[in-house]
Amino acid sequence: MAERGRGWARAVRGLLLDVSGVLYDSGAGGGVPIAGSAEAVRRIKASGLKLQLCTNETQATRENFVRKLQAMGFDVSVAQVTAPAPAACRLLRERGLRPHLLVHDDLVPEFAEINKTNPNCVVLGDAAENFTYANLNEAFRLLIGMEKPVLISLGKGRYYKETDGLKLDVGAYMKALEYACDVQAEVVGKPAKTFFESALAELGVPPEQAIMIGDDIVNDVGGAQQCGMRALQVRTGQYRPSDENHPQVKPDAYVNNLAEAVDIILQEL
Amino acid sequence: MAERGRGWARAVRGLLLDVSGVLYDSGAGGGVPIAGSAEAVRRIKASGLKLQLCTNETQATRENFVRKLQAMGFDVSVAQVTAPAPAACRLLRERGLRPHLLVHDDLVPEFAEINKTNPNCVVLGDAAENFTYANLNEAFRLLIGMEKPVLISLGKGRYYKETDGLKLDVGAYMKALEYACDVQAEVVGKPAKTFFESALAELGVPPEQAIMIGDDIVNDVGGAQQCGMRALQVRTGQYRPSDENHPQVKPDAYVNNLAEAVDIILQEL
């Protein structure tokens, strides 16, 4: 792997890391860290490389998310997290939109300052257990009753891996509502270009000096490459061998896990 | 209306009727008949016109469905119902497919004779309250774990109207699974051409002598027209005024309800 690495690992000043499937596998009890990832984050920090977490996580506020990661041994801070909910709040304010939220209970505090009376849009996150038949019908009825339905989706992932197996991600439910209402959702989060640009701005590094590391071939790798970054796919998390034959997206390299990526990158510093 | 009717109502020998939204509005307690529809069905019968119900109903066996309609005053029999589940059973047998069922509890008996061990496909119906987060994840995991995922959907409706409001139909959940698994579902039921052809065969009338009457602009009207039938849209059930500007589908006529359609058709006999 070190051989293959030399080309893509040069002239790096900052790393964007996906979290679920790269740092840890989510699931019951908060999930479990992926072997070597906590140590890899420490080594990135010690090396002087800049680090930003670029996540579509919408099952918790950033504060609680970071607390969970810290409890698993990851040395990260709230300022190092770029997540869809704050980006959605900016968009809602700019456009005077009042959301009906179909999101995880634990994400609701991120929208505390947003006016939610008499909704004129629906914001969809990875609502998990809140994806009930009743809640989906409610969001659908609100949308189809709007003169101009506005559906904002926090990511468009197809699925992700938890400790007890694969789970449908927000993108699947987004497609259901898009079809039922004949609308196109606006995606906030990966792979939206504006979202990666926010993460790069927070990283403070131009795209050509940054590498994205993720387990999702389309949302992590494809999205980052479209912003001019290099991107690696790890063979952890939701990675499946068939990803290596993806018709549209080809990572700059595959690595077995984050630890291996960091080994190679640090050798080139 | 009678004026407008003269063209499209000529030379009719049989009628295909959609059920939910044409004969009755479904909902809590079994639903309520649409005013004038039971009398309209009696008048069709008395006129000598042939009659077949062509429904995407998948929340009950045909036996229970007909019992419910009879209790509401409709003079119909099981042999007069063309529904997706029996069509799906034929397809499963022909292709040696063993389904995992994500359907309404009350539909399960239609699949009593089908081998369901070690599933190699997923059959999706309007599962209603069975569309839980857990059940959707289970169907998804089975599908994505198959070497060649086969998803069979009993209809692809976007939504329908119940007495307490609009509900997401099976098509929305079909789109969710299609997206998550990157597969295309095979649709059994309206608007599939083979399904209308089965209904016509059971009606015993060629398409050019049959009229389809439904409340769904795409699945009833569009589907029937593609088989060479005339098709009316009623302004009951899931009808919405915006349907009259549909970019692809234009019914042969609009009628306010089934009773009005039958008035016009019988005048032309």
Side-chain angles (χ1 to χ4, degrees):
Chain A
M1 285 310 276
E3 227 58 59
R4 261 171 76 191
R6 300 237 156 86
W8 57 262
R10 283 202 184 116
V12 178
R13 285 186 46 228
L15 300 180
L16 290 185
L17 305 188
D18 178 35
V19 182
S20 174
V22 176
L23 299 193
Y24 79 115
D25 281 321
S26 59
V32 293
I34 291 171
S37 287
E39 176 63 20
V41 168
R42 275 191 293 275
R43 292 174 66 205
I44 294 167
K45 200 169 180 182
S47 73
L49 285 174
K50 293 191 177 182
L51 173 71
Q52 185 76 15
L53 306 182
C54 183
T55 177
N56 273 5
E57 168 67 40
T58 59
Q59 289 202 0
T61 59
R62 278 164 303 166
E63 286 73 15
N64 285 334
F65 185 53
V66 163
R67 211 165 291 145
K68 184 172 84 172
L69 292 175
Q70 289 171 341
M72 280 190 272
F74 292 100
D75 181 10
V76 292
S77 66
V78 172
Q80 283 180 304
V81 178
T82 303
C89 287
R90 285 194 295 276
L91 182 151
L92 294 168
R93 280 200 198 89
E94 280 163 21
R95 288 169 44 189
L97 291 169
R98 301 177 306 274
H100 168 80
L101 301 177
L102 179 45
V103 301
H104 198 285
D105 288 345
D106 296 342
L107 191 71
V108 174
E110 291 272 19
F111 296 88
E113 307 294 314
I114 300 286
N115 178 5
K116 293 179 280 290
T117 55
N118 188 19
N120 58 4
C121 75
V122 167
V123 169
L124 190 68
D126 176 16
E129 302 289 346
N130 279 348
F131 281 132
T132 63
Y133 181 61
N135 286 348
L136 283 163
N137 279 329
E138 185 188 13
F140 157 67
R141 269 181 225 145
L142 280 164
L143 267 179
I144 199 137
M146 291 171 192
E147 202 179 335
K148 198 181 168 327
V150 175
L151 174 60
I152 294 168
S153 189
L154 306 180
K156 62 169 195 173
R158 292 160 61 201
Y159 54 85
Y160 55 87
K161 190 185 170 192
E162 294 212 322
T163 46
D164 61 346
L166 297 177
K167 300 271 167 85
L168 287 171
D169 198 358
V170 61
Y173 294 94
M174 176 191 89
K175 288 289 172 184
L177 291 175
E178 282 188 337
Y179 177 71
C181 301
D182 198 18
V183 294
Q184 177 127 35
E186 303 175 37
V187 176
V188 175
K190 298 177 286 187
K193 198 171 181 188
T194 51
F195 188 73
F196 278 108
E197 288 167 350
S198 300
L200 283 169
E202 289 167 38
L203 185 67
V205 163
E208 61 277 12
Q209 297 183 342
I211 294 182
M212 171 78 202
I213 304 177
D215 65 336
D216 186 316
I217 182 74
V218 171
N219 291 296
D220 293 327
V221 175
Q225 287 178 333
Q226 292 205 343
C227 287
M229 275 176 271
R230 286 161 276 175
L232 312 183
Q233 188 177 15
V234 289
R235 293 197 182 96
T236 54
Q238 67 163 257
Y239 163 85
R240 303 171 78 228
S242 61
D243 291 343
E244 304 204 14
N245 305 314
H246 194 282
Q248 275 92 44
V249 185
K250 182 121 200 92
D252 291 86
Y254 296 97
V255 288
N256 286 322
N257 48 48
L258 177 63
E260 186 181 76
V262 171
D263 279 347
I264 299 170
I265 291 165
L266 296 192
Q267 280 171 25
E268 296 290 317
L269 280 189
Chain B
M1 284 311 275
E3 227 58 56
R4 260 172 76 192
R6 299 237 157 86
W8 58 260
R10 284 204 182 114
V12 179
R13 285 183 47 225
L15 300 180
L16 291 185
L17 305 187
D18 178 34
V19 182
S20 175
V22 176
L23 299 192
Y24 79 115
D25 282 321
S26 60
V32 293
I34 291 171
S37 286
E39 176 62 21
V41 168
R42 275 192 292 276
R43 293 173 67 204
I44 294 167
K45 199 168 181 183
S47 73
L49 284 175
K50 293 190 176 183
L51 174 70
Q52 187 75 14
L53 306 182
C54 182
T55 178
N56 274 6
E57 167 67 40
T58 58
Q59 289 203 359
T61 59
R62 278 165 302 167
E63 287 71 15
N64 284 334
F65 185 54
V66 163
R67 212 167 289 144
K68 183 172 83 170
L69 292 174
Q70 289 171 341
M72 280 190 271
F74 293 100
D75 181 11
V76 292
S77 66
V78 171
Q80 284 179 302
V81 177
T82 303
C89 287
R90 285 194 295 275
L91 181 151
L92 294 167
R93 280 201 196 89
E94 281 164 20
R95 288 166 48 189
L97 290 169
R98 301 177 306 275
H100 169 80
L101 301 177
L102 178 45
V103 302
H104 197 284
D105 287 345
D106 296 342
L107 191 71
V108 174
E110 292 272 18
F111 297 87
E113 308 294 313
I114 301 286
N115 179 4
K116 292 179 281 291
T117 55
N118 188 20
N120 57 5
C121 74
V122 167
V123 169
L124 189 69
D126 176 16
E129 302 289 346
N130 279 347
F131 280 131
T132 63
Y133 181 61
N135 285 347
L136 283 163
N137 278 330
E138 185 188 15
F140 157 67
R141 269 181 224 145
L142 280 164
L143 268 179
I144 198 136
M146 291 172 191
E147 201 179 337
K148 197 181 170 323
V150 175
L151 174 60
I152 295 168
S153 188
L154 306 179
K156 61 169 194 173
R158 292 161 59 202
Y159 55 85
Y160 55 87
K161 191 185 169 193
E162 293 212 322
T163 46
D164 60 347
L166 297 176
K167 300 272 169 82
L168 287 171
D169 198 359
V170 61
Y173 294 94
M174 175 191 90
K175 288 288 172 183
L177 291 175
E178 283 188 338
Y179 177 70
C181 301
D182 198 16
V183 295
Q184 175 126 36
E186 304 175 36
V187 177
V188 175
K190 297 178 286 185
K193 197 171 180 185
T194 50
F195 189 73
F196 279 107
E197 288 167 350
S198 299
L200 283 169
E202 289 167 38
L203 185 67
V205 164
E208 61 277 11
Q209 298 183 342
I211 293 181
M212 172 78 202
I213 304 177
D215 65 336
D216 187 316
I217 183 73
V218 170
N219 291 296
D220 293 327
V221 175
Q225 287 177 332
Q226 292 205 342
C227 287
M229 274 178 270
R230 286 161 276 175
L232 311 184
Q233 188 178 15
V234 289
R235 294 195 182 97
T236 54
Q238 67 161 259
Y239 164 85
R240 303 172 79 227
S242 61
D243 291 344
E244 304 203 15
N245 304 314
H246 195 280
Q248 275 93 45
V249 185
K250 181 120 200 90
D252 292 270
Y254 296 98
V255 288
N256 285 321
N257 48 49
L258 177 63
E260 186 181 76
V262 171
D263 278 347
I264 298 169
I265 291 164
L266 297 191
Q267 280 171 28
E268 295 291 318
L269 280 188

